Amino acid sequence: MSAAVDLVPFEEALKRYDPVIGLEVHVELGTRTKMFCPAEVEFGGEPNTQVTPVSLGLPGALPVVNRTAVESAIKIGLALNCQIAESCRFARKNYFYPDNPKNFQTSQYDEPIAFDGWLDVELEDGEIFRVEIERAHMEEDAGKNTHVGGTGGRIQGAEYSLVDYNRAGIPLVEIVTRPITGAGERAPEVARAYVHALRDIFRTLDVSEARMERGNVRADVNLSLRATPDSPLGTRTETKNVNSFRSIERAVRYEVSRQAAVLDASGTIVQETRHWHEDTSSTSSGRPKSDAEDYRYFPEPDLVPVAPSRDWVEELRAALPELPAERRRRLHAEWGYADAEMRDVVNAGALDLIEATVAAGTSAAGARKWWMGELARKAKSDEVELADLPVTPAQISELQGLVDSGRINDKLARQALEGVLAGEGDPTAVVQARGLEVVSDDGPLLEAIDAALAAQPDIADKIRGGNLGPVGAIIGAVMKATRGQADAGRVRELVLERVS
């Protein structure tokens, strides 16, 4: 647990300090085997069963580069508008930690595979913020430590630790930004939006499952404060391995408030790594932050340089799929949504769902009505993501088709949707089982109309006198009598015929 500290309110801190952020995002690549050996990669395997002499760092074991991992790294670099190196090499990053069996990590240092890029990220109100990218480099992941005893799974207070080397050697790409300045009070939102945009790109490129809850994507959040935007950069802290969008945003806010409190008290910010505590939304001190020279980088002697041919790079560039920002612009134009409507769709995580619903035959307006209306309310009340609701785009398309054909109206459709969400079957089956179809046969409708007119005889006189307002009262009575299953349009026609 982190020690309690006095914090300066975030808004108050921004009156005296300018925040500068930097993000180092690691993505595990979805290759079949590890970065430098043929060990299989599979999430959730029995501990220490997916290892080889190479991934365990045994004497005499020699690494071989995974070509698919290199290809994925190039794709990521191209998607981030980076230059792709004509030649790059691996280096040994030397440090000791139990999850690092070789006592060094094979990474890239002064010669990354991709460099000098940028990514435009869209904030919730539509503002575009450009994030400059310094480099994207290849490396291998470490193993996983499990701390037993104590609280919160942390090493502090643990009785002992276990190490699983299944993850050791899984290929990673690390994407490092340049200092992100000018964000001001929106720095937390910019950090969140940037990592979200990266996650979407990884999935679009099909280079990773990019499941943050599994640690496929992890962010190290760097933050420093300075007196004014013209002042030199302050001393930074690095909050390690933050793996949810919400936590990335909260980690930035917390460090702004904490560092402001230290500076206000004439204290000194320590350059260090910090741990993120999900339960308290706070950080705690980890270890002094090492500089590059502390790792004693030197070229990996067992690996030759990687020199992707320009023809290969251009082939990969030409084969890139439509990237998320381009796709959003295209769908925005095709669907005809207002800017605010499109932002709401994106922010709700409904873009894929609506696209699939439209592809199944529903209009863009009809698809949006369900996903951003009834289903969004259901997801909020159940505290789940839209995509986790037990309903598919095909079922929503089928439901709207029943409305469009006149078999049910919107009110009955909502009842049918309740049945679908309850697991009663597809919309058509629910409508049939619950007897929800609209009554369009004139016989039953005329009976209900006659009963309503007989109960309110003055209304007929008003209608004959040219006042059509009271027609709604008769329609309402008929809808009530038919449990909402009457065709309201047909009822209106019959009422006017009956009265005249």
Side-chain angles (χ1 to χ4, degrees):
M1 297 290 291
S2 59
V5 296
D6 293 329
L7 301 177
V8 174
F10 179 77
E11 293 74 14
E12 187 68 26
L14 293 176
K15 295 177 181 178
R16 296 190 295 279
Y17 302 103
D18 177 50
V20 178
I21 55 177
L23 293 155
E24 302 169 23
V25 176
H26 299 77
V27 55
E28 280 188 359
L29 302 179
T31 54
R32 185 178 60 82
T33 57
K34 293 186 178 181
M35 186 72 214
F36 301 112
C37 72
E40 297 283 338
V41 174
E42 181 183 358
F43 180 81
E46 287 293 318
N48 298 308
T49 58
Q50 299 163 26
V51 295
T52 66
V54 172
S55 59
L56 291 176
L58 298 183
L62 294 175
V64 177
V65 174
N66 186 323
R67 177 186 170 90
T68 302
V70 175
E71 181 176 296
S72 296
I74 294 172
K75 289 179 179 178
I76 291 171
L78 292 172
L80 298 179
N81 304 290
C82 290
Q83 297 185 51
I84 305 301
E86 294 190 12
S87 178
C88 62
R89 61 181 177 178
F90 288 97
R92 291 188 179 185
K93 180 181 180 181
N94 296 277
Y95 67 95
F96 171 77
Y97 204 62
D99 61 8
N100 181 27
K102 299 188 296 186
N103 289 340
F104 65 87
Q105 178 190 33
T106 305
S107 182
Q108 292 188 305
Y109 173 46
D110 55 341
E111 297 184 27
I113 192 165
F115 56 93
D116 289 347
W118 51 267
L119 179 63
D120 285 339
V121 298
E122 184 174 350
L123 306 183
E124 288 195 359
D125 63 356
E127 179 184 343
I128 302 298
F129 195 99
R130 175 161 292 188
V131 175
E132 301 286 345
I133 294 169
E134 178 180 300
R135 56 192 279 140
H137 64 261
M138 299 179 289
E139 60 186 24
E140 60 180 340
D141 209 346
K144 181 180 180 180
N145 293 323
T146 300
H147 307 296
V148 182
T151 59
R154 297 288 182 181
I155 192 171
Q156 296 91 343
E159 297 176 12
Y160 59 91
S161 298
L162 301 173
V163 186
D164 178 9
Y165 290 122
N166 282 353
R167 198 174 67 183
I170 288 180
L172 296 177
V173 169
E174 180 179 354
I175 300 150
V176 181
T177 69
R178 292 195 169 91
I180 301 171
T181 61
E185 64 182 6
R186 307 196 74 174
E189 183 184 355
V190 169
R192 174 181 181 145
Y194 168 72
V195 179
H196 200 295
L198 284 182
R199 194 279 306 268
D200 289 348
I201 287 173
F202 301 149
R203 289 183 172 179
T204 298
L205 295 175
D206 196 26
V207 297
S208 172
E209 290 186 350
R211 294 178 60 173
M212 298 189 75
E213 75 279 6
R214 287 188 174 182
N216 297 150
V217 178
R218 311 188 291 274
D220 297 339
V221 180
N222 294 266
L223 186 126
S224 65
L225 298 180
R226 55 185 178 179
T228 71
D230 297 323
S231 302
L233 295 177
T235 301
R236 66 186 172 92
T237 61
E238 180 182 0
T239 303
K240 300 288 288 185
N241 295 327
V242 188
N243 67 343
S244 79
F245 301 130
R246 181 167 172 260
S247 294
I248 288 166
E249 190 168 10
R250 289 188 295 162
V252 173
R253 293 182 68 91
Y254 181 86
E255 275 299 291
V256 167
S257 296
R258 186 192 69 83
Q259 291 188 26
V262 173
L263 295 173
D264 283 355
S266 300
T268 301
I269 302 299
V270 176
Q271 182 172 317
E272 62 181 354
T273 63
R274 295 186 67 85
H275 300 297
W276 172 249
H277 300 275
E278 188 71 36
D279 54 346
T280 59
S281 298
S282 64
T283 67
S284 64
S285 181
R287 58 177 173 80
K289 175 60 179 172
S290 301
D291 291 317
E293 55 267 23
D294 297 320
Y295 290 116
R296 297 181 293 109
Y297 281 99
F298 65 87
E300 168 56 67
D302 292 334
L303 290 170
V304 299
V306 175
S309 72
R310 296 303 90 182
D311 288 344
W312 187 32
V313 171
E314 292 311 311
E315 285 175 12
L316 294 175
R317 189 194 307 274
L320 286 179
E322 182 182 38
L323 295 175
E326 299 166 357
R327 175 178 169 233
R328 285 196 296 271
R329 287 192 291 269
R330 173 178 60 81
L331 293 176
H332 190 182
E334 289 179 1
W335 293 346
Y337 292 169
D339 290 348
E341 290 175 336
M342 192 65 180
R343 284 198 298 273
D344 288 344
V345 166
V346 172
N347 293 336
L351 193 72
D352 292 344
L353 298 166
I354 290 178
E355 184 180 28
T357 306
V358 171
T362 300
S363 69
R368 180 182 175 277
K369 174 186 71 176
W370 290 110
W371 288 109
M372 297 302 294
E374 202 72 23
L375 290 168
R377 287 189 288 273
K378 175 68 173 174
K380 183 177 181 180
S381 68
D382 291 356
E383 298 183 344
V384 299
E385 298 294 328
L386 265 178
D388 293 331
L389 290 173
V391 63
T392 66
Q395 288 173 324
I396 295 302
S397 180
E398 181 181 330
L399 182 69
Q400 185 59 38
L402 292 171
V403 175
D404 294 340
S405 67
R407 291 182 61 182
I408 56 175
N409 53 35
D410 277 347
K411 180 179 179 181
L412 297 171
R414 286 192 290 273
Q415 296 179 43
L417 180 58
E418 290 176 2
V420 174
L421 292 169
E424 297 174 19
D426 290 335
T428 301
V430 173
V431 167
Q432 292 173 347
R434 292 193 176 194
L436 297 177
E437 288 204 51
V438 165
V439 178
S440 55
D441 181 15
D442 288 355
L445 294 181
L446 286 171
E447 290 180 10
I449 290 169
D450 289 342
L453 288 171
Q456 306 176 75
D458 57 321
I459 287 182
D461 294 334
K462 291 178 182 179
I463 295 173
R464 292 191 190 97
N467 182 2
L468 300 183
V471 172
I474 300 300
I475 295 174
V478 173
M479 296 300 287
K480 183 177 181 181
T482 59
R483 295 181 303 160
Q485 292 178 245
D487 182 336
R490 183 55 180 157
V491 170
R492 180 181 177 84
E493 294 173 359
L494 292 175
V495 168
L496 295 178
E497 290 177 8
R498 210 60 158 174
V499 171
S500 63

mmCIF file of all heavy atoms in Angstrom, residues 6-44:
data_model
loop_
_atom_site.group_PDB
_atom_site.id
_atom_site.type_symbol
_atom_site.label_atom_id
_atom_site.label_comp_id
_atom_site.label_asym_id
_atom_site.label_seq_id
_atom_site.Cartn_x
_atom_site.Cartn_y
_atom_site.Cartn_z
ATOM 1 N N ASP A 6 -0.385 14.388 1.530
ATOM 2 C CA ASP A 6 -1.245 15.531 1.255
ATOM 3 C C ASP A 6 -1.098 15.892 -0.217
ATOM 4 O O ASP A 6 0.019 16.037 -0.727
ATOM 5 C CB ASP A 6 -0.846 16.711 2.135
ATOM 6 C CG ASP A 6 -1.123 16.448 3.613
ATOM 7 O OD1 ASP A 6 -2.095 15.711 3.895
ATOM 8 O OD2 ASP A 6 -0.370 16.961 4.456
ATOM 9 N N LEU A 7 -2.205 16.040 -0.893
ATOM 10 C CA LEU A 7 -2.202 16.334 -2.319
ATOM 11 C C LEU A 7 -2.722 17.745 -2.565
ATOM 12 O O LEU A 7 -3.560 18.250 -1.822
ATOM 13 C CB LEU A 7 -3.075 15.340 -3.078
ATOM 14 C CG LEU A 7 -2.710 13.858 -2.968
ATOM 15 C CD1 LEU A 7 -3.720 13.013 -3.728
ATOM 16 C CD2 LEU A 7 -1.308 13.606 -3.507
ATOM 17 N N VAL A 8 -2.227 18.351 -3.617
ATOM 18 C CA VAL A 8 -2.782 19.604 -4.102
ATOM 19 C C VAL A 8 -3.872 19.257 -5.103
ATOM 20 O O VAL A 8 -3.638 18.443 -6.008
ATOM 21 C CB VAL A 8 -1.692 20.462 -4.782
ATOM 22 C CG1 VAL A 8 -2.312 21.707 -5.404
ATOM 23 C CG2 VAL A 8 -0.619 20.845 -3.777
ATOM 24 N N PRO A 9 -5.070 19.804 -4.963
ATOM 25 C CA PRO A 9 -6.117 19.522 -5.963
ATOM 26 C C PRO A 9 -5.598 19.758 -7.378
ATOM 27 O O PRO A 9 -4.848 20.715 -7.631
ATOM 28 C CB PRO A 9 -7.236 20.498 -5.591
ATOM 29 C CG PRO A 9 -7.048 20.733 -4.122
ATOM 30 C CD PRO A 9 -5.562 20.710 -3.902
ATOM 31 N N PHE A 10 -5.979 18.876 -8.289
ATOM 32 C CA PHE A 10 -5.462 18.904 -9.658
ATOM 33 C C PHE A 10 -5.628 20.285 -10.280
ATOM 34 O O PHE A 10 -4.679 20.845 -10.858
ATOM 35 C CB PHE A 10 -6.206 17.844 -10.482
ATOM 36 C CG PHE A 10 -5.774 17.777 -11.922
ATOM 37 C CD1 PHE A 10 -4.582 17.161 -12.271
ATOM 38 C CD2 PHE A 10 -6.557 18.312 -12.924
ATOM 39 C CE1 PHE A 10 -4.180 17.084 -13.600
ATOM 40 C CE2 PHE A 10 -6.174 18.239 -14.252
ATOM 41 C CZ PHE A 10 -4.977 17.623 -14.591
ATOM 42 N N GLU A 11 -6.816 20.853 -10.182
ATOM 43 C CA GLU A 11 -7.077 22.151 -10.802
ATOM 44 C C GLU A 11 -6.203 23.235 -10.177
ATOM 45 O O GLU A 11 -5.738 24.152 -10.871
ATOM 46 C CB GLU A 11 -8.557 22.524 -10.675
ATOM 47 C CG GLU A 11 -9.511 21.635 -11.460
ATOM 48 C CD GLU A 11 -9.704 20.258 -10.841
ATOM 49 O OE1 GLU A 11 -9.309 20.089 -9.649
ATOM 50 O OE2 GLU A 11 -10.236 19.357 -11.525
ATOM 51 N N GLU A 12 -5.981 23.140 -8.871
ATOM 52 C CA GLU A 12 -5.136 24.125 -8.189
ATOM 53 C C GLU A 12 -3.687 23.992 -8.629
ATOM 54 O O GLU A 12 -2.974 24.991 -8.821
ATOM 55 C CB GLU A 12 -5.258 23.933 -6.675
ATOM 56 C CG GLU A 12 -4.564 24.995 -5.846
ATOM 57 C CD GLU A 12 -5.231 26.360 -5.947
ATOM 58 O OE1 GLU A 12 -6.450 26.416 -6.232
ATOM 59 O OE2 GLU A 12 -4.515 27.361 -5.748
ATOM 60 N N ALA A 13 -3.216 22.758 -8.796
ATOM 61 C CA ALA A 13 -1.832 22.529 -9.226
ATOM 62 C C ALA A 13 -1.563 23.158 -10.584
ATOM 63 O O ALA A 13 -0.474 23.693 -10.837
ATOM 64 C CB ALA A 13 -1.545 21.031 -9.260
ATOM 65 N N LEU A 14 -2.562 23.103 -11.469
ATOM 66 C CA LEU A 14 -2.369 23.617 -12.819
ATOM 67 C C LEU A 14 -2.266 25.134 -12.862
ATOM 68 O O LEU A 14 -1.831 25.699 -13.870
ATOM 69 C CB LEU A 14 -3.516 23.145 -13.719
ATOM 70 C CG LEU A 14 -3.540 21.635 -13.983
ATOM 71 C CD1 LEU A 14 -4.767 21.268 -14.792
ATOM 72 C CD2 LEU A 14 -2.282 21.192 -14.715
ATOM 73 N N LYS A 15 -2.675 25.805 -11.790
ATOM 74 C CA LYS A 15 -2.530 27.261 -11.747
ATOM 75 C C LYS A 15 -1.073 27.672 -11.544
ATOM 76 O O LYS A 15 -0.683 28.792 -11.886
ATOM 77 C CB LYS A 15 -3.381 27.845 -10.614
ATOM 78 C CG LYS A 15 -4.888 27.656 -10.800
ATOM 79 C CD LYS A 15 -5.658 28.195 -9.597
ATOM 80 C CE LYS A 15 -7.162 27.976 -9.762
ATOM 81 N NZ LYS A 15 -7.924 28.457 -8.573
ATOM 82 N N ARG A 16 -0.258 26.764 -10.997
ATOM 83 C CA ARG A 16 1.127 27.100 -10.677
ATOM 84 C C ARG A 16 2.151 26.287 -11.467
ATOM 85 O O ARG A 16 3.330 26.655 -11.497
ATOM 86 C CB ARG A 16 1.375 26.889 -9.184
ATOM 87 C CG ARG A 16 0.559 27.795 -8.291
ATOM 88 C CD ARG A 16 0.996 27.719 -6.843
ATOM 89 N NE ARG A 16 0.764 26.417 -6.230
ATOM 90 C CZ ARG A 16 -0.422 26.032 -5.747
ATOM 91 N NH1 ARG A 16 -1.463 26.824 -5.848
ATOM 92 N NH2 ARG A 16 -0.554 24.848 -5.170
ATOM 93 N N TYR A 17 1.719 25.194 -12.093
ATOM 94 C CA TYR A 17 2.680 24.331 -12.766
ATOM 95 C C TYR A 17 2.157 23.889 -14.131
ATOM 96 O O TYR A 17 0.943 23.764 -14.348
ATOM 97 C CB TYR A 17 2.988 23.092 -11.920
ATOM 98 C CG TYR A 17 3.520 23.418 -10.549
ATOM 99 C CD1 TYR A 17 2.697 23.324 -9.420
ATOM 100 C CD2 TYR A 17 4.842 23.822 -10.375
ATOM 101 C CE1 TYR A 17 3.178 23.629 -8.161
ATOM 102 C CE2 TYR A 17 5.329 24.130 -9.110
ATOM 103 C CZ TYR A 17 4.492 24.046 -8.016
ATOM 104 O OH TYR A 17 4.964 24.348 -6.774
ATOM 105 N N ASP A 18 3.113 23.645 -15.028
ATOM 106 C CA ASP A 18 2.801 23.140 -16.377
ATOM 107 C C ASP A 18 3.211 21.666 -16.439
ATOM 108 O O ASP A 18 4.402 21.357 -16.269
ATOM 109 C CB ASP A 18 3.562 23.953 -17.424
ATOM 110 C CG ASP A 18 3.333 23.426 -18.830
ATOM 111 O OD1 ASP A 18 2.158 23.231 -19.203
ATOM 112 O OD2 ASP A 18 4.327 23.199 -19.557
ATOM 113 N N PRO A 19 2.260 20.746 -16.663
ATOM 114 C CA PRO A 19 2.623 19.329 -16.710
ATOM 115 C C PRO A 19 3.212 18.930 -18.065
ATOM 116 O O PRO A 19 2.767 19.389 -19.120
ATOM 117 C CB PRO A 19 1.280 18.620 -16.479
ATOM 118 C CG PRO A 19 0.262 19.568 -17.035
ATOM 119 C CD PRO A 19 0.804 20.955 -16.799
ATOM 120 N N VAL A 20 4.207 18.075 -18.010
ATOM 121 C CA VAL A 20 4.794 17.477 -19.217
ATOM 122 C C VAL A 20 4.724 15.970 -19.037
ATOM 123 O O VAL A 20 5.150 15.444 -18.002
ATOM 124 C CB VAL A 20 6.251 17.924 -19.416
ATOM 125 C CG1 VAL A 20 6.852 17.244 -20.649
ATOM 126 C CG2 VAL A 20 6.335 19.443 -19.557
ATOM 127 N N ILE A 21 4.170 15.289 -20.016
ATOM 128 C CA ILE A 21 4.047 13.842 -19.912
ATOM 129 C C ILE A 21 4.864 13.162 -21.004
ATOM 130 O O ILE A 21 5.228 13.763 -22.024
ATOM 131 C CB ILE A 21 2.572 13.376 -19.992
ATOM 132 C CG1 ILE A 21 1.906 13.904 -21.278
ATOM 133 C CG2 ILE A 21 1.792 13.810 -18.780
ATOM 134 C CD1 ILE A 21 0.476 13.420 -21.450
ATOM 135 N N GLY A 22 5.153 11.906 -20.773
ATOM 136 C CA GLY A 22 5.793 11.051 -21.761
ATOM 137 C C GLY A 22 5.279 9.645 -21.546
ATOM 138 O O GLY A 22 5.018 9.237 -20.406
ATOM 139 N N LEU A 23 5.110 8.904 -22.611
ATOM 140 C CA LEU A 23 4.519 7.573 -22.493
ATOM 141 C C LEU A 23 5.395 6.545 -23.197
ATOM 142 O O LEU A 23 5.848 6.764 -24.324
ATOM 143 C CB LEU A 23 3.110 7.565 -23.088
ATOM 144 C CG LEU A 23 2.104 8.419 -22.293
ATOM 145 C CD1 LEU A 23 0.969 8.875 -23.169
ATOM 146 C CD2 LEU A 23 1.575 7.632 -21.113
ATOM 147 N N GLU A 24 5.637 5.448 -22.499
ATOM 148 C CA GLU A 24 6.342 4.306 -23.071
ATOM 149 C C GLU A 24 5.350 3.148 -23.063
ATOM 150 O O GLU A 24 4.992 2.643 -21.995
ATOM 151 C CB GLU A 24 7.587 3.969 -22.244
ATOM 152 C CG GLU A 24 8.565 5.136 -22.122
ATOM 153 C CD GLU A 24 9.650 4.894 -21.092
ATOM 154 O OE1 GLU A 24 9.921 3.708 -20.790
ATOM 155 O OE2 GLU A 24 10.212 5.869 -20.574
ATOM 156 N N VAL A 25 4.902 2.771 -24.233
ATOM 157 C CA VAL A 25 3.856 1.752 -24.352
ATOM 158 C C VAL A 25 4.475 0.470 -24.899
ATOM 159 O O VAL A 25 5.119 0.481 -25.951
ATOM 160 C CB VAL A 25 2.710 2.231 -25.263
ATOM 161 C CG1 VAL A 25 1.676 1.125 -25.444
ATOM 162 C CG2 VAL A 25 2.053 3.483 -24.674
ATOM 163 N N HIS A 26 4.273 -0.623 -24.160
ATOM 164 C CA HIS A 26 4.753 -1.938 -24.594
ATOM 165 C C HIS A 26 3.574 -2.745 -25.117
ATOM 166 O O HIS A 26 2.538 -2.829 -24.455
ATOM 167 C CB HIS A 26 5.376 -2.707 -23.417
ATOM 168 C CG HIS A 26 6.567 -2.026 -22.816
ATOM 169 N ND1 HIS A 26 6.461 -0.940 -21.962
ATOM 170 C CD2 HIS A 26 7.894 -2.283 -22.937
ATOM 171 C CE1 HIS A 26 7.674 -0.566 -21.591
ATOM 172 N NE2 HIS A 26 8.561 -1.364 -22.156
ATOM 173 N N VAL A 27 3.747 -3.348 -26.276
ATOM 174 C CA VAL A 27 2.718 -4.239 -26.811
ATOM 175 C C VAL A 27 3.343 -5.613 -27.053
ATOM 176 O O VAL A 27 4.394 -5.730 -27.697
ATOM 177 C CB VAL A 27 2.097 -3.676 -28.113
ATOM 178 C CG1 VAL A 27 3.150 -3.359 -29.171
ATOM 179 C CG2 VAL A 27 1.068 -4.666 -28.673
ATOM 180 N N GLU A 28 2.704 -6.637 -26.493
ATOM 181 C CA GLU A 28 3.120 -8.016 -26.776
ATOM 182 C C GLU A 28 2.619 -8.402 -28.159
ATOM 183 O O GLU A 28 1.423 -8.286 -28.455
ATOM 184 C CB GLU A 28 2.520 -8.973 -25.746
ATOM 185 C CG GLU A 28 3.241 -9.022 -24.433
ATOM 186 C CD GLU A 28 2.708 -10.139 -23.540
ATOM 187 O OE1 GLU A 28 1.764 -10.846 -23.966
ATOM 188 O OE2 GLU A 28 3.227 -10.292 -22.429
ATOM 189 N N LEU A 29 3.504 -8.874 -28.995
ATOM 190 C CA LEU A 29 3.120 -9.269 -30.347
ATOM 191 C C LEU A 29 2.485 -10.653 -30.334
ATOM 192 O O LEU A 29 2.867 -11.522 -29.541
ATOM 193 C CB LEU A 29 4.339 -9.249 -31.270
ATOM 194 C CG LEU A 29 5.054 -7.895 -31.372
ATOM 195 C CD1 LEU A 29 6.261 -8.003 -32.305
ATOM 196 C CD2 LEU A 29 4.106 -6.799 -31.842
ATOM 197 N N GLY A 30 1.534 -10.844 -31.211
ATOM 198 C CA GLY A 30 0.783 -12.102 -31.235
ATOM 199 C C GLY A 30 1.420 -13.155 -32.122
ATOM 200 O O GLY A 30 0.737 -13.778 -32.942
ATOM 201 N N THR A 31 2.708 -13.380 -31.947
ATOM 202 C CA THR A 31 3.404 -14.399 -32.733
ATOM 203 C C THR A 31 3.153 -15.787 -32.138
ATOM 204 O O THR A 31 2.799 -15.922 -30.979
ATOM 205 C CB THR A 31 4.911 -14.119 -32.765
ATOM 206 O OG1 THR A 31 5.384 -14.003 -31.425
ATOM 207 C CG2 THR A 31 5.204 -12.834 -33.511
ATOM 208 N N ARG A 32 3.384 -16.797 -32.954
ATOM 209 C CA ARG A 32 3.184 -18.172 -32.482
ATOM 210 C C ARG A 32 4.295 -18.588 -31.549
ATOM 211 O O ARG A 32 4.084 -19.370 -30.617
ATOM 212 C CB ARG A 32 3.111 -19.119 -33.685
ATOM 213 C CG ARG A 32 2.779 -20.575 -33.334
ATOM 214 C CD ARG A 32 2.670 -21.431 -34.585
ATOM 215 N NE ARG A 32 3.905 -21.438 -35.346
ATOM 216 C CZ ARG A 32 4.967 -22.212 -35.091
ATOM 217 N NH1 ARG A 32 4.942 -23.043 -34.061
ATOM 218 N NH2 ARG A 32 6.040 -22.172 -35.851
ATOM 219 N N THR A 33 5.507 -18.058 -31.784
ATOM 220 C CA THR A 33 6.661 -18.424 -30.974
ATOM 221 C C THR A 33 7.334 -17.163 -30.435
ATOM 222 O O THR A 33 6.990 -16.047 -30.810
ATOM 223 C CB THR A 33 7.684 -19.247 -31.771
ATOM 224 O OG1 THR A 33 8.092 -18.490 -32.925
ATOM 225 C CG2 THR A 33 7.071 -20.560 -32.236
ATOM 226 N N LYS A 34 8.324 -17.373 -29.576
ATOM 227 C CA LYS A 34 8.974 -16.248 -28.910
ATOM 228 C C LYS A 34 9.916 -15.479 -29.837
ATOM 229 O O LYS A 34 10.115 -15.843 -30.991
ATOM 230 C CB LYS A 34 9.703 -16.750 -27.660
ATOM 231 C CG LYS A 34 8.748 -17.248 -26.575
ATOM 232 C CD LYS A 34 9.470 -17.607 -25.292
ATOM 233 C CE LYS A 34 8.481 -18.056 -24.218
ATOM 234 N NZ LYS A 34 9.160 -18.387 -22.935
ATOM 235 N N MET A 35 10.481 -14.394 -29.278
ATOM 236 C CA MET A 35 11.272 -13.473 -30.095
ATOM 237 C C MET A 35 12.540 -14.122 -30.632
ATOM 238 O O MET A 35 12.932 -13.890 -31.770
ATOM 239 C CB MET A 35 11.645 -12.242 -29.254
ATOM 240 C CG MET A 35 12.338 -11.136 -30.022
ATOM 241 S SD MET A 35 11.228 -10.261 -31.137
ATOM 242 C CE MET A 35 12.331 -9.865 -32.480
ATOM 243 N N PHE A 36 13.190 -14.960 -29.809
ATOM 244 C CA PHE A 36 14.486 -15.479 -30.227
ATOM 245 C C PHE A 36 14.600 -16.997 -30.139
ATOM 246 O O PHE A 36 15.702 -17.539 -30.211
ATOM 247 C CB PHE A 36 15.597 -14.841 -29.363
ATOM 248 C CG PHE A 36 15.641 -13.342 -29.460
ATOM 249 C CD1 PHE A 36 15.305 -12.560 -28.368
ATOM 250 C CD2 PHE A 36 15.992 -12.717 -30.648
ATOM 251 C CE1 PHE A 36 15.346 -11.178 -28.451
ATOM 252 C CE2 PHE A 36 16.024 -11.334 -30.746
ATOM 253 C CZ PHE A 36 15.694 -10.560 -29.652
ATOM 254 N N CYS A 37 13.478 -17.687 -29.942
ATOM 255 C CA CYS A 37 13.541 -19.144 -29.843
ATOM 256 C C CYS A 37 12.193 -19.730 -30.248
ATOM 257 O O CYS A 37 11.198 -19.010 -30.347
ATOM 258 C CB CYS A 37 13.920 -19.584 -28.424
ATOM 259 S SG CYS A 37 12.613 -19.346 -27.204
ATOM 260 N N PRO A 38 12.113 -21.046 -30.473
ATOM 261 C CA PRO A 38 10.869 -21.659 -30.961
ATOM 262 C C PRO A 38 9.881 -22.036 -29.870
ATOM 263 O O PRO A 38 8.917 -22.770 -30.148
ATOM 264 C CB PRO A 38 11.383 -22.900 -31.694
ATOM 265 C CG PRO A 38 12.618 -23.284 -30.965
ATOM 266 C CD PRO A 38 13.260 -21.994 -30.554
ATOM 267 N N ALA A 39 10.061 -21.548 -28.643
ATOM 268 C CA ALA A 39 9.092 -21.859 -27.588
ATOM 269 C C ALA A 39 7.720 -21.309 -27.976
ATOM 270 O O ALA A 39 7.594 -20.171 -28.414
ATOM 271 C CB ALA A 39 9.541 -21.257 -26.259
ATOM 272 N N GLU A 40 6.684 -22.131 -27.797
ATOM 273 C CA GLU A 40 5.332 -21.706 -28.130
ATOM 274 C C GLU A 40 4.862 -20.615 -27.173
ATOM 275 O O GLU A 40 5.247 -20.575 -26.002
ATOM 276 C CB GLU A 40 4.369 -22.896 -28.043
ATOM 277 C CG GLU A 40 4.672 -24.020 -29.028
ATOM 278 C CD GLU A 40 4.215 -23.700 -30.440
ATOM 279 O OE1 GLU A 40 3.326 -22.844 -30.594
ATOM 280 O OE2 GLU A 40 4.757 -24.308 -31.385
ATOM 281 N N VAL A 41 4.009 -19.727 -27.702
ATOM 282 C CA VAL A 41 3.415 -18.660 -26.890
ATOM 283 C C VAL A 41 1.934 -18.967 -26.717
ATOM 284 O O VAL A 41 1.193 -19.090 -27.686
ATOM 285 C CB VAL A 41 3.585 -17.287 -27.565
ATOM 286 C CG1 VAL A 41 2.832 -16.217 -26.781
ATOM 287 C CG2 VAL A 41 5.057 -16.931 -27.691
ATOM 288 N N GLU A 42 1.514 -19.129 -25.473
ATOM 289 C CA GLU A 42 0.106 -19.409 -25.191
ATOM 290 C C GLU A 42 -0.234 -18.840 -23.827
ATOM 291 O O GLU A 42 0.438 -19.141 -22.833
ATOM 292 C CB GLU A 42 -0.176 -20.909 -25.203
ATOM 293 C CG GLU A 42 -1.643 -21.254 -24.939
ATOM 294 C CD GLU A 42 -1.890 -22.749 -24.892
ATOM 295 O OE1 GLU A 42 -0.924 -23.518 -25.095
ATOM 296 O OE2 GLU A 42 -3.040 -23.144 -24.636
ATOM 297 N N PHE A 43 -1.259 -18.005 -23.772
ATOM 298 C CA PHE A 43 -1.641 -17.380 -22.510
ATOM 299 C C PHE A 43 -2.246 -18.422 -21.573
ATOM 300 O O PHE A 43 -3.037 -19.267 -21.976
ATOM 301 C CB PHE A 43 -2.655 -16.258 -22.758
ATOM 302 C CG PHE A 43 -3.102 -15.551 -21.500
ATOM 303 C CD1 PHE A 43 -2.313 -14.565 -20.937
ATOM 304 C CD2 PHE A 43 -4.300 -15.894 -20.877
ATOM 305 C CE1 PHE A 43 -2.704 -13.921 -19.774
ATOM 306 C CE2 PHE A 43 -4.698 -15.259 -19.715
ATOM 307 C CZ PHE A 43 -3.901 -14.263 -19.157
ATOM 308 N N GLY A 44 -1.842 -18.348 -20.316
ATOM 309 C CA GLY A 44 -2.465 -19.187 -19.293
ATOM 310 C C GLY A 44 -1.920 -20.593 -19.186
ATOM 311 O O GLY A 44 -2.532 -21.444 -18.534
#
